[in-house]
């Protein structure tokens, strides 16, 4: 007897195997339809939903540019070029620009070459990218949107460095005052404008981005912008090491209401020395090089102690003076002929000297226990830098002996790694006025990628603040390191 009965019904439309195939095909088609319908529904969800906490993708970050008047950005540069000059360090190129009158009239004027200002020029290059025509911005990670409700963040187009440095150059005595201080008046104009916008009131400013690379930028309104996303070169000018100001047990405390690695982004200084190609690297005759001011304040007091320890060590060159200004050629020669470049803390934990060393293929020796570095998590600085604890560096002969212990193979590998990472620290896009396509692997794109990583925490903070009942105060939180 057969295992399966024979179907003797000649009028049947389908056999059992045929019916099985039919229902299988129907199930597959239903599944495909369901997946397609679900995907379509997801992509058409309104972008204005304030409840959405979806994880951000890597396709880019939507940026809205606040509509500040031109007088607070490019107009400030026009004004800078209209003054006779800066009584502090200047440059021959700046003198030529002033003589030509171009800086006074161009829609997108050049940024100063004065090294005191140029080292903080991130504001110029970030703004230039956002001002470039959309068809030329295909490689930009920041996608500019024209409605603040479509934005992940709001960029504040205030040239805070130019504003501060103009005040310091013209009337330094008024800088910390409010009366007679044009920089303070501009800071106040920025904040009064922003606080009237729906975008600021929706988030309390938490999703607004300020470029504050100059440690004294927007000094008078730090408390007002503390919740925002701050692009800073380090945290040195933003907090005090004072355990009495919080309930944290650590004496090295960063107030969460001021600066924090949770919401803010450490960005590179603009390097001031030209790039040395690996193929151009020559034999280096000196062990360690430093050029800078011997006497500094706060954490920079270590400089004077290191100077006295190292000045008579063989193979070590310690030169007094501001690097990359009047002694630019001296700095180039010193960095290119030395194996290592000393990077101690100054008035703040870091300086542009680190990025000049990288461009010069001089291995950085970082002696700054509280330093924060750009793009950590994207780059491992230990692969091309030497980190030394302050306590070890201050032991007689310890540092020289440590540096002499590195083999040629180790030093060559450090330089090869520097070649790989140094494009991340380059702002200049090579276009007049900074208007044009930016380097895909350059500093501007990496800054926006780093901001993008902060979005989930920032959105969470905005939602938490919205559900707080009126009159309820939130205790001060801190991020202890």
């Amino acid at each position: 007897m057969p295992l399966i009965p024979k179907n003797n019904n000649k009028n049947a439309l389908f056999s059992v195997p045929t019916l099985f195939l039919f229902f299988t095909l129907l199930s597959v088609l239903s599944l495909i339809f369901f997946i397609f319908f679900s995907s379509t529904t997801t992509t058409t969800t309104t972008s204005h939903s304030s409840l959405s906490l979806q994880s951000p993708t890597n396709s880019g970050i939507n940026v809205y540019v606040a509509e500040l008047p031109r007088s607070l950005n490019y107009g400030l540069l026009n004004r800078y070029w209209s003054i006779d000059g800066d009584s502090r360090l200047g440059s021959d190129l700046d003198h030529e620009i002033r003589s030509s009158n171009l800086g006074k009239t161009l829609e997108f004027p050049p940024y100063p070459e004065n090294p005191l200002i140029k080292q903080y020029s991130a504001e110029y290059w970030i703004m230039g990218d956002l001002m470039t025509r959309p068809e030329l911005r295909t490689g930009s990670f920041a996608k500019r949107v024209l409605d603040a409700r479509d934005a992940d963040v709001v960029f504040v187009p205030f040239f805070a460095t130019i504003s501060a440095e103009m005040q310091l150059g013209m009337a330094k005595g008024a800088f910390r005052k409010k009366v007679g201080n044009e920089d303070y008046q501009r800071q106040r104009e920025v904040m009064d404008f922003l606080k009237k916008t729906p975008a600021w009131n929706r988030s309390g400013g938490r999703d607004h981005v300020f470029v504050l690379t100059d440690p004294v930028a927007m000094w008078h309104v730090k408390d007002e912008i503390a919740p925002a996303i701050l692009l800073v070169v380090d945290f040195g000018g933003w907090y005090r090491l004072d355990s009495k100001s919080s309930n944290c047990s650590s004496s090295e405390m960063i107030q969460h209401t001021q600066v924090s690695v949770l919401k803010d982004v450490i960005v590179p200084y603009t390097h001031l020395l030209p790039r040395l190609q690996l193929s151009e690297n020559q034999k280096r005759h000196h062990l360690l090089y430093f050029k800078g001011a011997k006497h500094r304040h706060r954490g920079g007091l270590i400089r004077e102690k290191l100077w006295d320890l190292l000045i008579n060590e063989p193979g070590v060159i310690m030169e007094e003076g501001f690097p990359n200004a009047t002694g630019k050629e001296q700095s180039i020669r010193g960095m290119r002929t030395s194996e290592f470049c000393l990077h101690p803390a100054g008035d703040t934990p870091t300086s542009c000297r680190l990025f000049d060393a990288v461009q010069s293929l001089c291995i950085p020796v970082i002696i700054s226990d509280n330093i924060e570095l750009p793009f950590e998590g994207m780059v491992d600085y230990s692969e091309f830098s030497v980190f030394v604890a302050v306590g070890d560096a201050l032991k007689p002969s310890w540092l020289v002996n440590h540096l002499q212990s590195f083999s040629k193979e180790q030093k060559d590998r450090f330089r090869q790694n520097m070649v790989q990472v140094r494009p991340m620290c380059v702002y200049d896009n090579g276009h007049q006025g900074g208007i044009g396509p930016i380097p895909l692997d350059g500093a501007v794109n990496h800054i926006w990628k780093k901001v993008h990583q902060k979005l989930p925490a920032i959105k969470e903070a905005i939602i938490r603040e919205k559900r707080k009942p009126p009159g309820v105060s939130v205790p001060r939180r801190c991020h202890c390191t």
Side-chain angles (χ1 to χ4, degrees):
M1 180 180 294
L3 294 175
I4 300 177
K6 188 175 183 179
N7 186 356
N8 294 320
N9 186 357
K10 297 181 180 180
N11 295 323
L13 294 175
F14 301 103
S15 66
V16 171
T18 304
L19 285 170
F20 176 77
L21 290 173
F22 172 75
F23 285 113
T24 300
L25 181 60
L26 183 62
S27 299
V28 171
L29 290 173
S30 299
L31 180 60
I32 292 173
F33 176 77
F34 173 77
I35 293 172
F36 174 78
F37 179 78
S38 298
S39 174
T40 305
T41 303
T42 300
T43 56
T44 56
T45 301
T46 174
S47 59
H48 293 169
S49 172
S50 61
L51 298 178
S52 175
L53 291 176
Q54 296 178 0
S55 299
T57 65
N58 292 320
S59 59
I61 184 171
N62 292 333
V63 180
Y64 175 76
V65 180
E67 296 181 1
L68 291 181
R70 188 179 184 277
S71 61
L72 294 172
N73 39 72
Y74 292 109
L76 263 180
L77 277 175
N78 290 137
R79 187 176 173 192
Y80 175 86
W81 292 117
S82 68
I83 61 179
D84 293 336
D86 195 328
S87 59
R88 303 167 301 168
L89 291 170
S91 74
D92 293 338
L93 183 56
D94 283 358
H95 179 70
E96 292 175 9
I97 294 172
R98 281 195 168 90
S99 300
S100 68
N101 291 322
L102 282 177
K104 305 175 186 177
T105 57
L106 288 174
E107 182 181 6
F108 301 108
Y111 206 77
E113 289 292 319
N114 180 331
L116 289 174
I117 304 176
K118 184 180 179 180
Q119 62 181 332
Y120 305 126
S121 66
E123 59 188 12
Y124 183 73
W125 303 106
I126 296 172
M127 180 75 168
D129 171 46
L130 292 170
M131 293 296 291
T132 298
R133 298 198 311 272
E135 63 269 22
L136 299 178
R137 301 191 66 249
T138 54
S140 298
F141 190 79
K143 313 300 178 184
R144 185 172 178 180
V145 296
L146 302 180
D147 189 329
R149 295 173 297 174
D150 293 328
D152 295 310
V153 294
V154 176
F155 178 75
V156 181
F158 176 44
F159 286 174
T161 287
I162 288 293
S163 178
E165 293 296 335
M166 284 177 64
Q167 183 64 47
L168 290 170
M170 294 186 295
K172 184 177 180 179
F175 184 78
R176 294 189 180 273
K177 302 175 182 178
K178 295 182 179 180
V179 178
N181 184 346
E182 293 185 10
D183 179 42
Y184 167 72
Q185 294 171 6
R186 289 187 286 265
Q187 294 174 40
R188 191 71 267 153
E189 183 180 355
V190 170
M191 297 312 300
D192 290 346
F193 173 87
L194 291 174
K195 288 184 174 181
K196 294 177 183 177
T197 63
W200 182 276
N201 291 317
R202 278 197 301 269
S203 70
R206 286 174 175 80
D207 57 359
H208 284 54
V209 179
F210 291 84
V211 187
L212 304 176
T213 45
D214 192 320
V216 297
M218 297 198 81
W219 184 80
H220 286 281
V221 295
K222 282 187 174 183
D223 289 343
E224 297 177 58
I225 62 176
I229 306 164
L230 309 179
L231 309 186
V232 294
V233 290
D234 60 40
F235 290 157
W238 280 86
Y239 68 98
R240 249 182 350 167
L241 299 183
D242 183 4
S243 59
K244 295 179 181 179
S245 63
S246 81
N247 293 323
C248 291
S249 59
S250 171
S251 63
E252 299 178 357
M253 184 276 297
I254 301 175
Q255 293 180 2
H256 188 66
T257 51
Q258 282 191 307
V259 287
S260 170
V261 291
L262 300 178
K263 68 178 183 67
D264 302 318
V265 175
I266 305 295
V267 305
Y269 284 82
T270 300
H271 68 87
L272 303 176
L273 297 189
R275 174 178 293 186
L276 175 69
Q277 300 299 334
L278 190 59
S279 59
E280 300 171 335
N281 186 52
Q282 303 289 324
K283 181 176 175 59
R284 295 172 181 258
H285 303 285
H286 308 294
L287 177 68
L288 181 64
Y289 177 76
F290 173 80
K291 182 179 180 65
K294 178 180 179 180
H295 303 287
R296 293 285 87 183
H297 306 289
R298 298 187 294 274
L301 294 175
I302 186 181
R303 280 199 193 178
E304 188 169 350
K305 297 177 181 179
L306 282 172
W307 192 289
D308 293 338
L309 279 174
L310 296 170
I311 188 64
N312 294 319
E313 289 280 1
V316 177
I317 299 177
M318 306 290 285
E319 295 178 341
E320 179 83 28
F322 186 82
N324 317 318
T326 55
K328 182 175 180 178
E329 293 303 319
Q330 195 176 24
S331 296
I332 293 173
R333 183 170 59 254
M335 286 194 169
R336 292 187 176 190
T337 58
S338 302
E339 298 279 10
F340 299 92
C341 283
L342 187 64
H343 185 74
D347 289 342
T348 57
T350 187
S351 72
C352 68
R353 186 180 295 102
L354 171 62
F355 306 97
D356 285 334
V358 170
Q359 296 300 321
S360 304
L361 298 180
C362 187
I363 302 166
V365 179
I366 298 174
I367 306 175
S368 180
D369 292 349
N370 298 311
I371 198 169
E372 297 288 348
L373 295 166
F375 313 138
E376 292 209 75
M378 296 178 173
V379 59
D380 183 351
Y381 282 81
S382 65
E383 293 183 348
F384 58 88
S385 305
V386 177
F387 290 86
V388 176
V390 170
D392 287 333
L394 294 179
K395 297 175 183 176
S397 300
W398 189 95
L399 183 60
V400 169
N401 291 336
H402 180 59
L403 298 180
Q404 288 175 338
S405 71
F406 285 87
S407 67
K408 181 181 183 302
E409 290 72 24
Q410 287 175 304
K411 291 182 287 188
D412 288 344
R413 185 164 63 251
F414 276 148
R415 291 196 181 89
Q416 291 166 0
N417 291 337
M418 270 190 271
V419 170
Q420 298 299 316
V421 303
R422 63 185 180 181
M424 298 172 65
C425 300
V426 175
Y427 289 99
D428 196 334
N429 60 21
H431 300 284
Q432 184 175 357
I435 307 299
I438 61 173
L440 299 183
D441 56 353
V444 173
N445 265 352
H446 278 89
I447 288 170
W448 285 120
K449 289 176 182 178
K450 201 66 179 178
V451 173
H452 189 265
Q453 292 179 1
K454 313 286 185 180
L455 290 182
I458 292 166
K459 290 180 179 179
E460 179 180 337
I462 293 171
I463 296 299
R464 287 170 60 86
E465 183 69 19
K466 284 177 62 178
R467 54 84 167 158
K468 186 181 69 176
V472 174
S473 62
V474 177
R476 172 171 287 184
R477 296 180 174 88
C478 63
H479 176 63
C480 297
T481 58

